[in-house]
Every structure is written in C-alpha cells, then in structure tokens.
Amino acid sequence: MELPAGSLTPETALEGLEEWDSVALLSFIALMEDEFGKAVRGGRVKEMKRVADLLAVMEK
C-alpha cells in the first residue's frame, strides 16, 4: 500500500483503508513468503481486522 509514513497505527482498522484491497492482501501474502519465509493462507489474512493483526503474523 502506498501510504504516507506514520499514517498507520496498530489500531488502524483494515476495512477502513481504501488501499486495503485484494491486491494488497495478495501482496502481503507474497511479502511474508519472500521476505520472512512464512506461508500465510489468504483466508487467515481476510480474517484480520487491524494492522496489529498483520504485525503479529510478521513477528511470529
């Protein structure tokens, strides 16, 4: 997502972000595999509600 630095907080709701769409979801899944070597299912990502949920997956 192309957002200004500092515009997201852990409490930011994903559904409120115009930029959080199917392409962003797929990009997140690809990033997790390419950069972190972690496989994340699309269904799991779809269930995530806040930026904190995405961060938690990255930190595991």
Side-chain angles (χ1 to χ4, degrees), residues 20-47:
W20 183 251
D21 57 13
S22 59
V23 174
L25 187 144
L26 291 173
S27 295
F28 177 77
I29 293 170
L31 171 84
M32 290 301 297
E33 182 144 348
D34 293 346
E35 298 295 322
F36 298 96
K38 297 179 182 183
V40 181
R41 292 186 353 249
R44 182 173 178 205
V45 178
K46 281 185 170 183
E47 294 172 356

PDB file of all heavy atoms in Angstrom, residues 20-47:
ATOM      1  N   TRP A  20      -6.533  -1.082   1.257  1.00  0.00           N
ATOM      2  CA  TRP A  20      -6.516  -2.494   1.647  1.00  0.00           C
ATOM      3  C   TRP A  20      -7.564  -3.225   0.811  1.00  0.00           C
ATOM      4  O   TRP A  20      -8.735  -3.280   1.120  1.00  0.00           O
ATOM      5  CB  TRP A  20      -6.785  -2.664   3.137  1.00  0.00           C
ATOM      6  CG  TRP A  20      -6.705  -4.090   3.584  1.00  0.00           C
ATOM      7  CD1 TRP A  20      -7.732  -4.894   3.971  1.00  0.00           C
ATOM      8  CD2 TRP A  20      -5.526  -4.894   3.680  1.00  0.00           C
ATOM      9  NE1 TRP A  20      -7.275  -6.147   4.297  1.00  0.00           N
ATOM     10  CE2 TRP A  20      -5.917  -6.176   4.119  1.00  0.00           C
ATOM     11  CE3 TRP A  20      -4.179  -4.672   3.418  1.00  0.00           C
ATOM     12  CZ2 TRP A  20      -5.006  -7.218   4.325  1.00  0.00           C
ATOM     13  CZ3 TRP A  20      -3.272  -5.707   3.615  1.00  0.00           C
ATOM     14  CH2 TRP A  20      -3.687  -6.952   4.072  1.00  0.00           C
ATOM     15  N   ASP A  21      -7.098  -3.774  -0.308  1.00  0.00           N
ATOM     16  CA  ASP A  21      -7.979  -4.485  -1.222  1.00  0.00           C
ATOM     17  C   ASP A  21      -7.374  -5.852  -1.518  1.00  0.00           C
ATOM     18  O   ASP A  21      -6.409  -6.267  -0.870  1.00  0.00           O
ATOM     19  CB  ASP A  21      -8.199  -3.670  -2.497  1.00  0.00           C
ATOM     20  CG  ASP A  21      -6.892  -3.318  -3.215  1.00  0.00           C
ATOM     21  OD1 ASP A  21      -5.834  -3.893  -2.895  1.00  0.00           O
ATOM     22  OD2 ASP A  21      -6.931  -2.446  -4.107  1.00  0.00           O
ATOM     23  N   SER A  22      -7.933  -6.562  -2.478  1.00  0.00           N
ATOM     24  CA  SER A  22      -7.457  -7.906  -2.785  1.00  0.00           C
ATOM     25  C   SER A  22      -6.002  -7.906  -3.261  1.00  0.00           C
ATOM     26  O   SER A  22      -5.250  -8.837  -2.963  1.00  0.00           O
ATOM     27  CB  SER A  22      -8.357  -8.576  -3.815  1.00  0.00           C
ATOM     28  OG  SER A  22      -8.408  -7.819  -5.006  1.00  0.00           O
ATOM     29  N   VAL A  23      -5.597  -6.872  -3.963  1.00  0.00           N
ATOM     30  CA  VAL A  23      -4.205  -6.782  -4.426  1.00  0.00           C
ATOM     31  C   VAL A  23      -3.273  -6.583  -3.233  1.00  0.00           C
ATOM     32  O   VAL A  23      -2.216  -7.221  -3.146  1.00  0.00           O
ATOM     33  CB  VAL A  23      -4.039  -5.645  -5.460  1.00  0.00           C
ATOM     34  CG1 VAL A  23      -2.581  -5.455  -5.822  1.00  0.00           C
ATOM     35  CG2 VAL A  23      -4.866  -5.926  -6.701  1.00  0.00           C
ATOM     36  N   ALA A  24      -3.657  -5.735  -2.286  1.00  0.00           N
ATOM     37  CA  ALA A  24      -2.845  -5.519  -1.092  1.00  0.00           C
ATOM     38  C   ALA A  24      -2.761  -6.800  -0.267  1.00  0.00           C
ATOM     39  O   ALA A  24      -1.702  -7.133   0.270  1.00  0.00           O
ATOM     40  CB  ALA A  24      -3.423  -4.377  -0.262  1.00  0.00           C
ATOM     41  N   LEU A  25      -3.861  -7.525  -0.178  1.00  0.00           N
ATOM     42  CA  LEU A  25      -3.870  -8.784   0.562  1.00  0.00           C
ATOM     43  C   LEU A  25      -2.893  -9.775  -0.069  1.00  0.00           C
ATOM     44  O   LEU A  25      -2.078 -10.384   0.626  1.00  0.00           O
ATOM     45  CB  LEU A  25      -5.289  -9.350   0.574  1.00  0.00           C
ATOM     46  CG  LEU A  25      -5.503 -10.576   1.429  1.00  0.00           C
ATOM     47  CD1 LEU A  25      -6.877 -10.532   2.071  1.00  0.00           C
ATOM     48  CD2 LEU A  25      -5.359 -11.832   0.625  1.00  0.00           C
ATOM     49  N   LEU A  26      -2.951  -9.919  -1.380  1.00  0.00           N
ATOM     50  CA  LEU A  26      -2.026 -10.824  -2.077  1.00  0.00           C
ATOM     51  C   LEU A  26      -0.583 -10.357  -1.944  1.00  0.00           C
ATOM     52  O   LEU A  26       0.334 -11.178  -1.793  1.00  0.00           O
ATOM     53  CB  LEU A  26      -2.408 -10.953  -3.545  1.00  0.00           C
ATOM     54  CG  LEU A  26      -3.713 -11.693  -3.820  1.00  0.00           C
ATOM     55  CD1 LEU A  26      -4.069 -11.604  -5.299  1.00  0.00           C
ATOM     56  CD2 LEU A  26      -3.625 -13.132  -3.369  1.00  0.00           C
ATOM     57  N   SER A  27      -0.377  -9.064  -1.979  1.00  0.00           N
ATOM     58  CA  SER A  27       0.970  -8.519  -1.808  1.00  0.00           C
ATOM     59  C   SER A  27       1.509  -8.836  -0.423  1.00  0.00           C
ATOM     60  O   SER A  27       2.692  -9.157  -0.261  1.00  0.00           O
ATOM     61  CB  SER A  27       0.973  -7.006  -2.032  1.00  0.00           C
ATOM     62  OG  SER A  27       0.644  -6.705  -3.353  1.00  0.00           O
ATOM     63  N   PHE A  28       0.654  -8.752   0.593  1.00  0.00           N
ATOM     64  CA  PHE A  28       1.063  -9.084   1.953  1.00  0.00           C
ATOM     65  C   PHE A  28       1.470 -10.555   2.039  1.00  0.00           C
ATOM     66  O   PHE A  28       2.495 -10.891   2.629  1.00  0.00           O
ATOM     67  CB  PHE A  28      -0.060  -8.780   2.953  1.00  0.00           C
ATOM     68  CG  PHE A  28       0.276  -9.170   4.362  1.00  0.00           C
ATOM     69  CD1 PHE A  28       1.120  -8.379   5.126  1.00  0.00           C
ATOM     70  CD2 PHE A  28      -0.226 -10.333   4.921  1.00  0.00           C
ATOM     71  CE1 PHE A  28       1.457  -8.745   6.422  1.00  0.00           C
ATOM     72  CE2 PHE A  28       0.092 -10.708   6.214  1.00  0.00           C
ATOM     73  CZ  PHE A  28       0.940  -9.899   6.964  1.00  0.00           C
ATOM     74  N   ILE A  29       0.676 -11.431   1.438  1.00  0.00           N
ATOM     75  CA  ILE A  29       0.998 -12.863   1.456  1.00  0.00           C
ATOM     76  C   ILE A  29       2.333 -13.114   0.770  1.00  0.00           C
ATOM     77  O   ILE A  29       3.175 -13.864   1.282  1.00  0.00           O
ATOM     78  CB  ILE A  29      -0.137 -13.673   0.787  1.00  0.00           C
ATOM     79  CG1 ILE A  29      -1.398 -13.581   1.656  1.00  0.00           C
ATOM     80  CG2 ILE A  29       0.277 -15.115   0.561  1.00  0.00           C
ATOM     81  CD1 ILE A  29      -2.640 -14.128   0.986  1.00  0.00           C
ATOM     82  N   ALA A  30       2.559 -12.482  -0.377  1.00  0.00           N
ATOM     83  CA  ALA A  30       3.822 -12.646  -1.102  1.00  0.00           C
ATOM     84  C   ALA A  30       4.995 -12.092  -0.290  1.00  0.00           C
ATOM     85  O   ALA A  30       6.064 -12.702  -0.236  1.00  0.00           O
ATOM     86  CB  ALA A  30       3.741 -11.955  -2.460  1.00  0.00           C
ATOM     87  N   LEU A  31       4.799 -10.949   0.340  1.00  0.00           N
ATOM     88  CA  LEU A  31       5.844 -10.354   1.176  1.00  0.00           C
ATOM     89  C   LEU A  31       6.221 -11.291   2.312  1.00  0.00           C
ATOM     90  O   LEU A  31       7.407 -11.475   2.609  1.00  0.00           O
ATOM     91  CB  LEU A  31       5.365  -9.013   1.747  1.00  0.00           C
ATOM     92  CG  LEU A  31       6.283  -8.401   2.805  1.00  0.00           C
ATOM     93  CD1 LEU A  31       7.396  -7.625   2.123  1.00  0.00           C
ATOM     94  CD2 LEU A  31       5.504  -7.513   3.743  1.00  0.00           C
ATOM     95  N   MET A  32       5.228 -11.877   2.938  1.00  0.00           N
ATOM     96  CA  MET A  32       5.503 -12.785   4.058  1.00  0.00           C
ATOM     97  C   MET A  32       6.360 -13.957   3.604  1.00  0.00           C
ATOM     98  O   MET A  32       7.274 -14.361   4.303  1.00  0.00           O
ATOM     99  CB  MET A  32       4.187 -13.287   4.664  1.00  0.00           C
ATOM    100  CG  MET A  32       3.417 -12.229   5.412  1.00  0.00           C
ATOM    101  SD  MET A  32       4.348 -11.508   6.779  1.00  0.00           S
ATOM    102  CE  MET A  32       4.557 -12.933   7.806  1.00  0.00           C
ATOM    103  N   GLU A  33       6.071 -14.485   2.433  1.00  0.00           N
ATOM    104  CA  GLU A  33       6.853 -15.610   1.936  1.00  0.00           C
ATOM    105  C   GLU A  33       8.242 -15.176   1.479  1.00  0.00           C
ATOM    106  O   GLU A  33       9.239 -15.780   1.850  1.00  0.00           O
ATOM    107  CB  GLU A  33       6.119 -16.305   0.792  1.00  0.00           C
ATOM    108  CG  GLU A  33       6.897 -17.502   0.302  1.00  0.00           C
ATOM    109  CD  GLU A  33       6.007 -18.639  -0.111  1.00  0.00           C
ATOM    110  OE1 GLU A  33       4.804 -18.622   0.180  1.00  0.00           O
ATOM    111  OE2 GLU A  33       6.553 -19.551  -0.733  1.00  0.00           O
ATOM    112  N   ASP A  34       8.303 -14.114   0.690  1.00  0.00           N
ATOM    113  CA  ASP A  34       9.576 -13.670   0.124  1.00  0.00           C
ATOM    114  C   ASP A  34      10.535 -13.100   1.166  1.00  0.00           C
ATOM    115  O   ASP A  34      11.730 -13.392   1.137  1.00  0.00           O
ATOM    116  CB  ASP A  34       9.350 -12.610  -0.956  1.00  0.00           C
ATOM    117  CG  ASP A  34       8.650 -13.167  -2.184  1.00  0.00           C
ATOM    118  OD1 ASP A  34       8.564 -14.407  -2.328  1.00  0.00           O
ATOM    119  OD2 ASP A  34       8.169 -12.358  -2.995  1.00  0.00           O
ATOM    120  N   GLU A  35      10.041 -12.269   2.045  1.00  0.00           N
ATOM    121  CA  GLU A  35      10.902 -11.565   2.993  1.00  0.00           C
ATOM    122  C   GLU A  35      11.084 -12.290   4.325  1.00  0.00           C
ATOM    123  O   GLU A  35      12.110 -12.143   4.979  1.00  0.00           O
ATOM    124  CB  GLU A  35      10.347 -10.161   3.267  1.00  0.00           C
ATOM    125  CG  GLU A  35      10.292  -9.271   2.053  1.00  0.00           C
ATOM    126  CD  GLU A  35      11.670  -8.940   1.492  1.00  0.00           C
ATOM    127  OE1 GLU A  35      12.615  -8.747   2.281  1.00  0.00           O
ATOM    128  OE2 GLU A  35      11.799  -8.888   0.254  1.00  0.00           O
ATOM    129  N   PHE A  36      10.075 -13.045   4.750  1.00  0.00           N
ATOM    130  CA  PHE A  36      10.123 -13.679   6.060  1.00  0.00           C
ATOM    131  C   PHE A  36      10.121 -15.198   5.994  1.00  0.00           C
ATOM    132  O   PHE A  36      10.247 -15.865   7.018  1.00  0.00           O
ATOM    133  CB  PHE A  36       8.941 -13.207   6.924  1.00  0.00           C
ATOM    134  CG  PHE A  36       8.961 -11.726   7.202  1.00  0.00           C
ATOM    135  CD1 PHE A  36       8.228 -10.851   6.422  1.00  0.00           C
ATOM    136  CD2 PHE A  36       9.710 -11.207   8.244  1.00  0.00           C
ATOM    137  CE1 PHE A  36       8.238  -9.484   6.660  1.00  0.00           C
ATOM    138  CE2 PHE A  36       9.728  -9.842   8.491  1.00  0.00           C
ATOM    139  CZ  PHE A  36       8.989  -8.987   7.704  1.00  0.00           C
ATOM    140  N   GLY A  37       9.924 -15.765   4.804  1.00  0.00           N
ATOM    141  CA  GLY A  37       9.903 -17.217   4.658  1.00  0.00           C
ATOM    142  C   GLY A  37       8.727 -17.870   5.359  1.00  0.00           C
ATOM    143  O   GLY A  37       8.811 -19.027   5.759  1.00  0.00           O
ATOM    144  N   LYS A  38       7.624 -17.137   5.487  1.00  0.00           N
ATOM    145  CA  LYS A  38       6.447 -17.653   6.186  1.00  0.00           C
ATOM    146  C   LYS A  38       5.283 -17.779   5.210  1.00  0.00           C
ATOM    147  O   LYS A  38       5.013 -16.864   4.445  1.00  0.00           O
ATOM    148  CB  LYS A  38       6.040 -16.708   7.319  1.00  0.00           C
ATOM    149  CG  LYS A  38       7.093 -16.568   8.382  1.00  0.00           C
ATOM    150  CD  LYS A  38       6.644 -15.604   9.446  1.00  0.00           C
ATOM    151  CE  LYS A  38       7.742 -15.434  10.492  1.00  0.00           C
ATOM    152  NZ  LYS A  38       7.319 -14.550  11.573  1.00  0.00           N
ATOM    153  N   ALA A  39       4.608 -18.922   5.265  1.00  0.00           N
ATOM    154  CA  ALA A  39       3.427 -19.127   4.437  1.00  0.00           C
ATOM    155  C   ALA A  39       2.192 -18.712   5.231  1.00  0.00           C
ATOM    156  O   ALA A  39       1.997 -19.155   6.355  1.00  0.00           O
ATOM    157  CB  ALA A  39       3.323 -20.591   4.029  1.00  0.00           C
ATOM    158  N   VAL A  40       1.394 -17.835   4.645  1.00  0.00           N
ATOM    159  CA  VAL A  40       0.170 -17.360   5.283  1.00  0.00           C
ATOM    160  C   VAL A  40      -0.977 -17.601   4.315  1.00  0.00           C
ATOM    161  O   VAL A  40      -0.900 -17.222   3.145  1.00  0.00           O
ATOM    162  CB  VAL A  40       0.263 -15.847   5.610  1.00  0.00           C
ATOM    163  CG1 VAL A  40      -0.998 -15.382   6.297  1.00  0.00           C
ATOM    164  CG2 VAL A  40       1.475 -15.548   6.464  1.00  0.00           C
ATOM    165  N   ARG A  41      -2.028 -18.239   4.783  1.00  0.00           N
ATOM    166  CA  ARG A  41      -3.203 -18.501   3.946  1.00  0.00           C
ATOM    167  C   ARG A  41      -4.019 -17.229   3.761  1.00  0.00           C
ATOM    168  O   ARG A  41      -4.152 -16.420   4.680  1.00  0.00           O
ATOM    169  CB  ARG A  41      -4.080 -19.562   4.598  1.00  0.00           C
ATOM    170  CG  ARG A  41      -3.467 -20.938   4.633  1.00  0.00           C
ATOM    171  CD  ARG A  41      -4.442 -21.996   5.161  1.00  0.00           C
ATOM    172  NE  ARG A  41      -5.693 -21.475   5.667  1.00  0.00           N
ATOM    173  CZ  ARG A  41      -6.049 -21.491   6.957  1.00  0.00           C
ATOM    174  NH1 ARG A  41      -5.257 -21.981   7.859  1.00  0.00           N
ATOM    175  NH2 ARG A  41      -7.221 -20.999   7.327  1.00  0.00           N
ATOM    176  N   GLY A  42      -4.576 -17.083   2.572  1.00  0.00           N
ATOM    177  CA  GLY A  42      -5.402 -15.918   2.266  1.00  0.00           C
ATOM    178  C   GLY A  42      -6.604 -15.805   3.191  1.00  0.00           C
ATOM    179  O   GLY A  42      -6.973 -14.717   3.618  1.00  0.00           O
ATOM    180  N   GLY A  43      -7.211 -16.934   3.534  1.00  0.00           N
ATOM    181  CA  GLY A  43      -8.353 -16.924   4.436  1.00  0.00           C
ATOM    182  C   GLY A  43      -8.001 -16.373   5.801  1.00  0.00           C
ATOM    183  O   GLY A  43      -8.793 -15.662   6.416  1.00  0.00           O
ATOM    184  N   ARG A  44      -6.804 -16.685   6.249  1.00  0.00           N
ATOM    185  CA  ARG A  44      -6.357 -16.167   7.548  1.00  0.00           C
ATOM    186  C   ARG A  44      -6.186 -14.653   7.505  1.00  0.00           C
ATOM    187  O   ARG A  44      -6.568 -13.942   8.428  1.00  0.00           O
ATOM    188  CB  ARG A  44      -5.048 -16.836   7.957  1.00  0.00           C
ATOM    189  CG  ARG A  44      -4.554 -16.391   9.298  1.00  0.00           C
ATOM    190  CD  ARG A  44      -3.359 -17.187   9.748  1.00  0.00           C
ATOM    191  NE  ARG A  44      -2.899 -16.684  11.028  1.00  0.00           N
ATOM    192  CZ  ARG A  44      -1.676 -16.797  11.470  1.00  0.00           C
ATOM    193  NH1 ARG A  44      -0.783 -17.431  10.752  1.00  0.00           N
ATOM    194  NH2 ARG A  44      -1.326 -16.313  12.628  1.00  0.00           N
ATOM    195  N   VAL A  45      -5.605 -14.162   6.429  1.00  0.00           N
ATOM    196  CA  VAL A  45      -5.396 -12.719   6.292  1.00  0.00           C
ATOM    197  C   VAL A  45      -6.741 -12.001   6.184  1.00  0.00           C
ATOM    198  O   VAL A  45      -6.923 -10.933   6.762  1.00  0.00           O
ATOM    199  CB  VAL A  45      -4.496 -12.386   5.081  1.00  0.00           C
ATOM    200  CG1 VAL A  45      -4.330 -10.892   4.911  1.00  0.00           C
ATOM    201  CG2 VAL A  45      -3.129 -13.058   5.233  1.00  0.00           C
ATOM    202  N   LYS A  46      -7.695 -12.594   5.484  1.00  0.00           N
ATOM    203  CA  LYS A  46      -9.017 -11.976   5.344  1.00  0.00           C
ATOM    204  C   LYS A  46      -9.704 -11.791   6.691  1.00  0.00           C
ATOM    205  O   LYS A  46     -10.518 -10.897   6.858  1.00  0.00           O
ATOM    206  CB  LYS A  46      -9.911 -12.818   4.438  1.00  0.00           C
ATOM    207  CG  LYS A  46      -9.652 -12.635   2.984  1.00  0.00           C
ATOM    208  CD  LYS A  46     -10.675 -13.421   2.200  1.00  0.00           C
ATOM    209  CE  LYS A  46     -10.608 -13.077   0.743  1.00  0.00           C
ATOM    210  NZ  LYS A  46     -11.635 -13.786  -0.022  1.00  0.00           N
ATOM    211  N   GLU A  47      -9.387 -12.646   7.659  1.00  0.00           N
ATOM    212  CA  GLU A  47      -9.993 -12.563   8.985  1.00  0.00           C
ATOM    213  C   GLU A  47      -9.386 -11.457   9.839  1.00  0.00           C
ATOM    214  O   GLU A  47      -9.961 -11.081  10.853  1.00  0.00           O
ATOM    215  CB  GLU A  47      -9.847 -13.897   9.714  1.00  0.00           C
ATOM    216  CG  GLU A  47     -10.625 -15.028   9.071  1.00  0.00           C
ATOM    217  CD  GLU A  47     -10.326 -16.376   9.682  1.00  0.00           C
ATOM    218  OE1 GLU A  47      -9.448 -16.468  10.575  1.00  0.00           O
ATOM    219  OE2 GLU A  47     -10.966 -17.351   9.274  1.00  0.00           O
TER     220      GLU A  47
END
